[in-house]
Amino acid sequence: MSSAAAFSYAPLLPTGPDQTEYRLVTDEGVDVVNGPGGRRFLTVEPAALTALTAEAMHDIAHFLRPAHLAQLRSIIDDPAASPNDRFVALDLLRNANIAAGGVLPMCQDTGTAIVMGKRGRHVLTDGADAEAISRGVYQAYTKLNLRYSQLAPLTMWDERNTGSNLPAQVELYAEDPDGHPDAYKFLFMAKGGGSANKSYLYQETKALLNPTRMMQFLEEKLRLIGTAACPPYHLAIVIGGTSAEYALKTAKYASAKYLDALPTQGSMSAHGFRDLELEAEVLELTRNFGIGAQFGGRYFCHDVRVVRLPRHGASCPVAIAVSCSADRQAVAKITPSGVWLERLETDPARFLPDVTDETLDAEEVVRVDLNRPMAEIRAELSKYPVKTRLSLTGPLVVARDIAHAKIAERLDAGEPMPQYLRDHAVYYAGPAKTPEGYASGSFGPTTAGRMDAYVEKFQAAGGSLVMLAKGNRSAQVTRSCGAHGGFYLGSIGGPAARLAQDCIKHVEVLEYPELGMEAVWKIQVEDFPAFIVVDDKGDDFFAEVTKPVLTVGRR
């Protein structure tokens, strides 16, 4: 054994100066008092924590960062972007503009509330910080048009919606933020199920740590993310970690741009750092996937963050996470000068281009009348290849996880397929609360893959022959559509507020009203955008773009 190295300490994630632009929320509930030894202490009342949290959860449900909006605009301005890239980017910008009105949230899945805080050693509270923060989450979700998605486990198998979107995930650390003992700093996030489900952990070995193998590995794994989490993504990759859970947590922070100020080189202090060269190479790799911003093109990702962490010699965790088109996070701070929250963009209209839909459209849009009999709808869809852009008008049935499970139980018991699933296309979705004066709340698509296990059974019974949702699907869905003459149509993931305002004209409950947003609904839509993803011939748009094509290593 060699002699021990001299003691040195560095934070695992040393971040640089805070460059955030803040706005004042309130100067109430904070005070500075004298303490022993001439020290000065910042006192923070529970009401200040509650008010900050409620304000933060409101803002991240309705506003985005200016940098994110600028990236969407850059897709529209990029001549190398595909028509579908530009169409998706424009729809997401329109959605942001509607959401900024403060009525309809940008996404129907308003997410799990996640709060991480760092409290300086000279900050005094009553000790029940997590409760005060949770009260702020409660106020936001119960007063705004946000969805309740949290399920309380009553037994191992039985669950019930909590009706408030609690619990929140609150993590608080005793740490002087940025070296300031009299400051309390926060990261607020709202993480929807779609993007949270695209967090991955791989336990690798030293063999991965060479340029050729790393790029081969990343091409294989990144393609698996697919489009279910609503790209374009902010992609984060963490290589190494003192534990598996630390790697995953770091990936989540990196996807939120929280670690952008990390060093860009390593040292014997063993701190984490960003690899800017690898970030650029991985971004270019994703440009060549062909997946694009959901339906073909270059913009699978807005950007990439790659963080290298120290590791145990016998372990090499790799964590991958994304922040989706609902890029919902904001930082905040409480200081002697008051309670401050990151200033998000309240005027996203300034990023909208002076172009019309016709300028962006290089391909014909096929208009489909959903009022026609199902056989006629399928015959019309059968005329066109996968990737064809559609505009849907007429009735849709809405059903997702719990409703599908209940209908499957009925089929297993020998009951017939409900007529509504025979007569109408089925939209996988779950709405947010409906504001007064609106036909619906934010009502974007759910991840299609969650219903894959039901498709063959339902189609064999004459139902679900035209399905509408977001993301890629399994080979069993493609085979079933080929065998039963079915179609899967992809909807743009992300613009839930725009769909509610512009496309959804009427909503009524058909069955299972006790399930809340998980009920079976019937909606009337007008000019609802979609693409043919899987057709009745067994073709799948995503089948080609998910195949690895990399044949050379890292330059």
Side-chain angles (χ1 to χ4, degrees):
M1 296 290 289
S2 60
S3 59
F7 174 80
S8 69
Y9 172 78
L12 276 175
L13 296 172
T15 55
D18 185 359
Q19 304 293 332
T20 306
E21 181 182 355
Y22 291 94
R23 66 177 182 87
L24 182 66
V25 175
T26 181
D27 56 6
E28 297 181 358
V30 295
D31 196 9
V32 177
V33 298
N34 294 321
R39 290 177 293 178
R40 309 235 331 143
F41 289 83
L42 175 66
T43 63
V44 179
E45 297 295 329
L49 294 171
T50 298
L52 173 60
T53 302
E55 189 81 0
M57 300 315 297
H58 166 276
D59 281 14
I60 63 178
H62 292 282
F63 307 130
L64 291 159
R65 287 170 167 160
H68 175 90
L69 294 163
Q71 288 175 311
L72 286 173
R73 173 60 187 266
S74 71
I75 296 174
I76 298 171
D77 294 337
D78 182 1
S82 72
N84 285 346
D85 277 338
R86 292 195 290 272
F87 176 71
V88 170
L90 179 60
D91 220 34
L92 292 171
L93 279 175
R94 287 171 169 165
N95 187 70
N97 196 51
I98 294 168
V103 178
L104 292 165
M106 70 183 73
C107 179
Q108 80 286 342
D109 185 349
T110 46
T112 298
I114 300 172
V115 184
M116 186 273 288
K118 296 179 178 180
R119 191 174 85 184
R121 66 185 185 276
H122 289 174
V123 177
L124 302 178
T125 70
D126 69 354
D129 298 19
E131 180 179 350
I133 290 168
S134 295
R135 187 175 295 278
V137 171
Y138 175 85
Q139 288 182 3
Y141 277 84
T142 55
K143 292 180 179 179
L144 301 172
N145 297 309
L146 309 184
R147 196 175 84 185
Y148 307 143
S149 299
Q150 304 307 308
L151 302 177
L154 303 182
T155 70
M156 181 59 72
W157 322 118
D158 298 319
E159 301 172 305
R160 185 175 301 166
N161 194 299
T162 61
S164 64
N165 214 57
L166 293 178
Q169 179 179 318
V170 182
E171 300 178 6
L172 302 175
Y173 298 90
E175 177 180 330
D176 289 352
D178 303 326
H180 297 292
D182 59 348
Y184 204 160
K185 299 195 76 171
F186 301 89
L187 171 64
F188 292 95
M189 304 179 72
K191 199 71 173 171
S195 60
N197 292 345
K198 296 303 177 180
S199 300
Y200 295 97
L201 173 70
Y202 302 97
Q203 294 286 17
E204 297 298 315
T205 68
K206 168 69 174 173
L208 184 66
L209 299 180
N210 70 79
T212 299
R213 178 66 189 118
M214 178 63 72
M215 292 301 284
Q216 292 171 341
F217 171 86
L218 290 176
E219 177 174 24
E220 174 190 349
K221 303 307 183 186
L222 295 180
R223 287 178 180 273
L224 296 177
I225 296 174
T227 61
C230 308
Y233 298 126
H234 301 284
L235 171 67
I237 302 164
V238 173
I239 300 158
T242 49
S243 63
E245 64 271 21
Y246 194 82
L248 282 167
K249 182 180 295 188
T250 302
K252 179 178 288 186
Y253 293 162
S255 73
K257 307 297 185 70
Y258 186 73
L259 302 177
D260 275 11
L262 282 177
T264 55
Q265 292 183 330
S267 75
M268 286 306 295
S269 296
H271 56 74
F273 65 90
R274 286 179 59 188
D275 186 329
L276 302 184
E277 179 185 356
L278 188 54
E279 288 178 3
E281 292 187 26
V282 174
L283 180 61
E284 186 59 26
L285 178 70
T286 67
R287 294 280 193 258
N288 295 319
F289 284 174
I291 299 173
Q294 307 188 28
F295 300 104
R298 289 170 46 82
Y299 282 94
F300 185 62
C301 293
H302 284 302
D303 48 42
V304 177
R305 297 293 181 267
V306 177
V307 177
R308 182 67 157 90
L309 292 178
R311 68 184 185 94
H312 186 286
S315 174
C316 184
V318 177
I320 297 173
V322 297
S323 184
C324 66
S325 57
D327 188 40
R328 293 175 296 199
Q329 55 264 324
V331 295
K333 63 182 180 180
I334 303 177
T335 69
S337 61
V339 178
W340 301 85
L341 179 61
E342 181 177 357
R343 185 182 299 279
L344 301 180
E345 181 57 65
T346 58
D347 183 24
R350 67 188 181 91
F351 292 94
L352 282 168
D354 294 324
V355 298
T356 64
D357 284 351
E358 288 72 23
T359 307
L360 295 175
D361 294 341
E363 303 173 2
E364 178 185 2
V365 178
V366 176
R367 304 195 177 278
V368 179
D369 182 2
L370 298 176
N371 292 290
R372 298 161 68 186
M374 178 55 65
E376 294 184 15
I377 295 172
R378 291 162 60 201
E380 178 69 14
L381 293 173
S382 192
K383 299 175 183 178
Y384 303 98
V386 295
K387 201 176 170 181
T388 298
R389 185 174 148 205
L390 310 173
S391 176
L392 310 177
T393 297
L396 289 169
V397 167
V398 179
R400 50 181 246 162
D401 306 66
I402 297 177
H404 274 68
K406 286 183 173 292
I407 293 169
E409 291 173 359
R410 287 158 60 173
L411 295 178
D412 290 341
E415 298 180 31
M417 171 63 65
Q419 193 64 37
Y420 54 72
L421 282 183
R422 292 173 174 270
D423 294 341
H424 301 294
V426 58
Y427 178 38
Y428 303 157
K433 285 182 284 189
T434 301
E436 185 176 352
Y438 285 73
S440 83
S442 294
F443 211 153
T446 286
T447 302
R450 299 213 304 268
M451 268 55 72
D452 282 6
Y454 301 102
V455 172
E456 202 287 326
K457 179 194 290 283
F458 282 28
Q459 290 189 338
S464 294
L465 291 171
V466 177
M467 302 163 286
L468 175 66
K470 66 173 181 175
N472 47 301
R473 307 199 72 168
S474 63
Q476 71 188 73
V477 172
T478 303
R479 290 193 297 268
S480 182
C481 286
H484 298 289
F487 295 84
Y488 166 54
L489 312 180
S491 178
I492 300 172
R498 196 192 76 76
L499 294 176
Q501 175 176 286
D502 298 340
C503 301
I504 299 174
K505 303 303 181 182
H506 179 73
V507 177
E508 61 182 286
V509 176
L510 281 183
E511 196 170 15
Y512 306 123
E514 70 277 8
L515 297 181
M517 66 93 177
E518 293 269 9
V520 176
W521 308 79
K522 185 177 182 181
I523 66 175
Q524 293 287 333
V525 301
E526 184 177 298
D527 292 329
F528 193 108
F531 295 79
I532 299 176
V533 176
V534 177
D535 66 15
D536 58 345
K537 305 167 192 67
D539 298 320
D540 177 4
F541 161 68
F542 286 109
E544 287 301 316
V545 298
T546 54
K547 293 178 180 177
V549 296
L550 188 67
T551 57
V552 296
R554 180 180 176 188
R555 295 187 301 276

